[in-house]
Amino acid sequence: CGNLDLDDFLRGGCSHLRANYYFRESILARGVRENRFLAWSCNSWSKFLRGECCGGDLAQMGHWLNTSSSEGSYFMHVARESPHALGQEGEVCLERKCFILFKIFGKC
Protein backbone atom coordinates (compact mmCIF):
# COMPACT_ATOMS: atom_id res chain seq x y z
CA CYS A 1 0.00 0.00 0.00
CA GLY A 2 2.84 2.39 -0.66
CA ASN A 3 1.71 3.97 -3.93
CA LEU A 4 -1.77 5.33 -3.26
CA ASP A 5 -2.92 8.20 -5.39
CA LEU A 6 -5.47 10.73 -4.13
CA ASP A 7 -8.34 8.88 -5.83
CA ASP A 8 -7.43 5.61 -4.08
CA PHE A 9 -7.11 7.43 -0.77
CA LEU A 10 -10.55 9.05 -1.10
CA ARG A 11 -12.13 5.69 -2.01
CA GLY A 12 -10.67 4.07 1.10
CA GLY A 13 -8.06 2.18 -0.90
CA CYS A 14 -5.68 0.04 1.07
CA SER A 15 -7.67 0.52 4.22
CA HIS A 16 -10.03 -1.77 6.00
CA LEU A 17 -12.87 0.67 5.33
CA ARG A 18 -13.33 -0.85 1.87
CA ALA A 19 -13.94 -4.23 3.51
CA ASN A 20 -17.17 -2.80 4.92
CA TYR A 21 -18.33 -1.83 1.43
CA TYR A 22 -17.45 -5.27 0.06
CA PHE A 23 -19.22 -7.06 2.90
CA ARG A 24 -22.35 -4.94 2.47
CA GLU A 25 -22.34 -5.66 -1.26
CA SER A 26 -21.94 -9.38 -0.59
CA ILE A 27 -25.05 -9.34 1.62
CA LEU A 28 -27.14 -7.45 -0.93
CA ALA A 29 -26.02 -9.77 -3.75
CA ARG A 30 -27.78 -12.67 -1.97
CA GLY A 31 -25.40 -15.15 -3.57
CA VAL A 32 -26.36 -14.27 -7.16
CA ARG A 33 -23.77 -15.96 -9.37
CA GLU A 34 -22.53 -12.88 -11.27
CA ASN A 35 -22.35 -10.77 -8.12
CA ARG A 36 -20.29 -13.09 -5.94
CA PHE A 37 -16.92 -12.28 -4.43
CA LEU A 38 -15.03 -15.36 -5.56
CA ALA A 39 -11.52 -16.00 -4.30
CA TRP A 40 -8.97 -18.62 -5.32
CA SER A 41 -6.63 -20.46 -2.98
CA CYS A 42 -2.98 -19.56 -3.55
CA ASN A 43 0.25 -19.31 -1.59
CA SER A 44 0.95 -15.70 -2.56
CA TRP A 45 -0.47 -12.67 -4.37
CA SER A 46 2.33 -12.75 -6.93
CA LYS A 47 1.65 -16.41 -7.76
CA PHE A 48 -2.06 -15.62 -8.07
CA LEU A 49 -1.32 -12.76 -10.49
CA ARG A 50 0.90 -15.02 -12.59
CA GLY A 51 -1.91 -17.59 -12.84
CA GLU A 52 0.09 -20.26 -11.00
CA CYS A 53 -2.84 -21.30 -8.81
CA CYS A 54 -5.33 -22.27 -11.51
CA GLY A 55 -7.48 -25.21 -10.53
CA GLY A 56 -7.03 -24.58 -6.81
CA ASP A 57 -9.79 -24.33 -4.24
CA LEU A 58 -12.43 -21.67 -4.84
CA ALA A 59 -14.44 -19.94 -2.12
CA GLN A 60 -17.18 -17.36 -2.05
CA MET A 61 -16.17 -14.54 0.27
CA GLY A 62 -18.41 -12.27 2.30
CA HIS A 63 -21.70 -12.93 4.04
CA TRP A 64 -22.46 -16.10 2.05
CA LEU A 65 -19.11 -17.73 2.87
CA ASN A 66 -19.32 -21.51 3.14
CA THR A 67 -17.60 -22.12 6.47
CA SER A 68 -16.59 -25.61 5.34
CA SER A 69 -14.23 -24.11 2.71
CA SER A 70 -10.60 -25.12 3.04
CA GLU A 71 -8.44 -22.91 5.20
CA GLY A 72 -5.58 -20.96 3.67
CA SER A 73 -4.82 -17.81 1.73
CA TYR A 74 -7.36 -16.79 -0.90
CA PHE A 75 -7.02 -14.00 -3.45
CA MET A 76 -9.43 -12.19 -5.75
CA HIS A 77 -9.77 -9.15 -7.94
CA VAL A 78 -12.43 -6.52 -7.30
CA ALA A 79 -13.76 -3.74 -9.50
CA ARG A 80 -12.69 -0.21 -8.72
CA GLU A 81 -16.31 0.99 -8.77
CA SER A 82 -19.43 -0.64 -7.34
CA PRO A 83 -20.47 -3.32 -7.99
CA HIS A 84 -17.07 -4.50 -6.79
CA ALA A 85 -17.70 -8.24 -7.05
CA LEU A 86 -16.48 -9.74 -10.32
CA GLY A 87 -17.65 -13.34 -9.94
CA GLN A 88 -15.87 -15.66 -12.39
CA GLU A 89 -14.61 -12.63 -14.32
CA GLY A 90 -12.12 -12.00 -11.50
CA GLU A 91 -10.24 -15.22 -12.15
CA VAL A 92 -6.69 -14.70 -13.39
CA CYS A 93 -6.83 -18.10 -15.08
CA LEU A 94 -9.68 -16.90 -17.29
CA GLU A 95 -7.54 -13.95 -18.34
CA ARG A 96 -4.72 -16.32 -19.32
CA LYS A 97 -7.11 -18.66 -21.14
CA CYS A 98 -8.62 -15.72 -22.99
CA PHE A 99 -5.17 -14.45 -23.95
CA ILE A 100 -4.20 -17.85 -25.33
CA LEU A 101 -7.50 -18.28 -27.19
CA PHE A 102 -7.16 -14.77 -28.62
CA LYS A 103 -3.69 -15.60 -29.87
CA ILE A 104 -4.96 -18.81 -31.53
CA PHE A 105 -8.46 -17.90 -32.74
CA GLY A 106 -8.56 -14.09 -32.57
CA LYS A 107 -11.34 -14.17 -29.93
CA CYS A 108 -12.09 -15.63 -26.50
Side-chain angles (χ1 to χ4, degrees):
C1 290
N3 297 334
L4 288 179
D5 61 18
L6 181 58
D7 187 47
D8 285 334
F9 179 75
L10 293 174
R11 293 175 190 278
C14 205
S15 75
H16 289 94
L17 177 61
R18 286 194 81 158
N20 295 323
Y21 299 132
Y22 299 156
F23 192 72
R24 179 181 180 272
E25 188 176 310
S26 78
I27 293 169
L28 296 175
R30 300 182 193 272
V32 174
R33 188 170 182 81
E34 308 80 53
N35 300 335
R36 295 182 298 169
F37 285 93
L38 297 179
W40 287 264
S41 176
C42 200
N43 291 332
S44 72
W45 176 245
S46 58
K47 285 185 176 186
F48 173 72
L49 289 178
R50 289 192 303 266
E52 295 179 15
C53 302
C54 300
D57 289 337
L58 175 69
Q60 180 174 335
M61 300 286 117
H63 180 73
W64 306 104
L65 172 70
N66 179 349
T67 55
S68 66
S69 297
S70 299
E71 290 185 20
S73 297
Y74 285 78
F75 300 92
M76 66 180 165
H77 289 289
V78 294
R80 186 178 189 103
E81 303 287 334
S82 184
H84 299 287
L86 297 173
Q88 288 289 137
E89 297 299 316
E91 183 183 2
V92 172
C93 299
L94 289 179
E95 292 173 12
R96 289 184 66 209
K97 290 175 195 170
C98 182
F99 176 77
I100 292 166
L101 289 173
F102 186 79
K103 284 287 197 184
I104 296 170
F105 302 111
K107 62 181 179 180
C108 338

